[in-house]
Amino acid sequence: MESLFKLPVASGNTARILQITDTHLFADKHETLLGINTYRSYHAVLDAIQAQRRELDLIVATGDLAQDHSLAAYQHFAEGIFQLPAPCVWLPGNHDYQPAMVDALTTAGIEPSKQVLLGDSWQVILLDSQVYGVPHGELSEYQLEWMARCLQTHPERYTLLLLHHHPMPCGCTWLDQHSLRNPHMLATTLLRYPKVTTLVCGHIHQDLDLEWQGRCLLTTPSTCVQFKPHSTHFTIDDVSPGWRYLDLLPDGRVETQVYRLENNDFRPDMDSDGY
């Protein structure tokens, strides 16, 4: 597993994180997904984040960065994320192609580490729940054992756990078919680690704040297309692209806000029946 990454916290005792997820970029900057130009929506989100001028210690990218498996799509992601004043770490989603992802992001100088120590109080652990070629997720024994070693090594730290797939039903029947398939194994492993207070996912293109196994579970809007909550069948939402901030406080609390683009320039093709 990649080496440990340590970051001082620039803003004092609170660690400030930006989550970007599900950018679904293509090699061709003009390509669209369900009617939305994902390159343009990604850059509109980046521009809005820059305009907010918030202090950031870390950016986390929680999967589905590319839609077409291309090196160029990951290069587009890297070029964009370098506009923001903080290091970025990442994990794969079900649409990602890891050989190209690792190659392009590493070559671009984006941090490959999957464990980040933030200041004196927190660590961030990024898990790989991808099962290549299918939309659902699963955590391998290796991933679970590695996570447990990270938690054992730093028992004094609170932990923010990141993965692409959601470990519990989100209320969308069609999306819940594509959730994490072995959440019971994750829950069993975490029983010994009460300082894992918060889990954050991508994948479902929605803003949700749920409770799972006594822990907070957050999901975050995509930078492109949004999926309508509480839908039985594939349904697109017409709300704007978004992103999430997480403030990790030294006492273990997490304060979080989701923002969306204020204009609605990125309207999907509402007649789409899948992708």
Side-chain angles (χ1 to χ4, degrees):
M1 188 57 72
E2 291 80 3
S3 60
L4 186 67
F5 185 33
K6 298 182 181 179
L7 274 179
V9 175
S11 51
N13 290 326
T14 297
R16 294 187 164 149
I17 293 178
L18 164 68
Q19 183 194 8
I20 294 280
T21 196
D22 296 271
T23 52
H24 290 276
L25 297 167
F26 297 85
D28 183 349
K29 297 178 182 179
H30 303 289
E31 187 69 66
T32 61
L33 177 69
L34 302 172
I36 289 182
N37 181 310
T38 60
Y39 181 86
R40 285 186 55 238
S41 65
Y42 174 51
H43 279 270
V45 165
L46 294 175
D47 290 346
I49 290 166
Q50 286 180 287
Q52 290 176 320
R53 298 186 180 278
R54 290 180 62 137
E55 287 187 6
L56 294 174
D57 296 300
L58 183 69
I59 302 163
V60 295
T62 48
D64 284 0
L65 305 188
Q67 178 67 16
D68 64 357
H69 291 184
S70 67
L71 272 170
Y74 295 110
Q75 289 164 350
H76 295 331
F77 174 83
E79 289 162 4
I81 215 71
F82 279 134
Q83 298 175 24
L84 302 180
C88 177
V89 291
W90 56 272
L91 55 81
N94 51 292
H95 284 279
D96 286 310
Y97 181 56
Q98 291 202 51
M101 191 180 204
V102 171
D103 187 2
L105 298 184
T106 301
T107 300
I110 291 181
E111 183 61 51
S113 295
K114 301 296 181 260
Q115 181 186 20
V116 184
L117 301 185
L118 280 168
D120 299 323
S121 304
W122 280 87
Q123 68 176 332
V124 176
I125 295 175
L126 299 96
L127 296 176
D128 178 355
S129 59
Q130 185 194 69
V131 182
Y132 185 71
V134 297
H136 69 257
E138 189 168 338
L139 291 170
S140 66
E141 284 190 24
Y142 174 80
Q143 285 285 305
L144 292 167
E145 290 169 0
W146 173 77
M147 177 190 72
R149 287 199 301 274
C150 292
L151 296 171
Q152 290 163 8
T153 304
H154 299 281
E156 77 288 354
R157 288 179 178 266
Y158 297 102
T159 298
L160 183 73
L161 193 62
L162 306 177
L163 67 164
H164 185 68
H165 295 86
H166 54 307
M168 66 176 286
C170 69
C172 281
T173 308
W174 72 276
L175 276 171
D176 288 335
Q177 299 174 64
H178 308 318
S179 62
L180 187 71
R181 287 288 171 89
N182 58 341
H184 57 289
M185 294 178 68
L186 177 60
T188 298
T189 305
L190 290 177
L191 280 175
R192 301 189 299 274
Y193 305 104
K195 286 197 167 186
V196 181
T197 63
T198 306
L199 291 82
V200 182
C201 304
H203 190 47
I204 64 171
H205 296 224
Q206 298 172 21
D207 166 20
L208 294 177
D209 186 338
L210 305 169
E211 183 181 324
W212 177 73
Q213 303 288 329
R215 306 167 203 270
C216 179
L217 173 66
L218 302 169
T219 70
T220 298
S222 163
T223 63
C224 56
V225 178
Q226 311 305 308
F227 297 146
K228 194 169 186 65
H230 310 298
S231 301
T232 302
H233 304 290
F234 178 89
T235 311
I236 300 173
D237 208 346
D238 62 358
V239 293
S240 293
W243 60 97
R244 182 183 290 278
Y245 293 111
L246 300 119
D247 284 0
L248 311 183
L249 279 64
D251 62 2
R253 288 181 296 130
V254 177
E255 295 178 350
T256 186
Q257 311 86 31
V258 166
Y259 288 87
R260 295 183 186 271
L261 295 177
E262 291 183 2
N263 56 42
N264 209 354
D265 290 344
F266 298 97
R267 302 299 298 271
D269 176 1
M270 299 300 288
D271 294 327
S272 301
D273 58 3
Y275 74 107

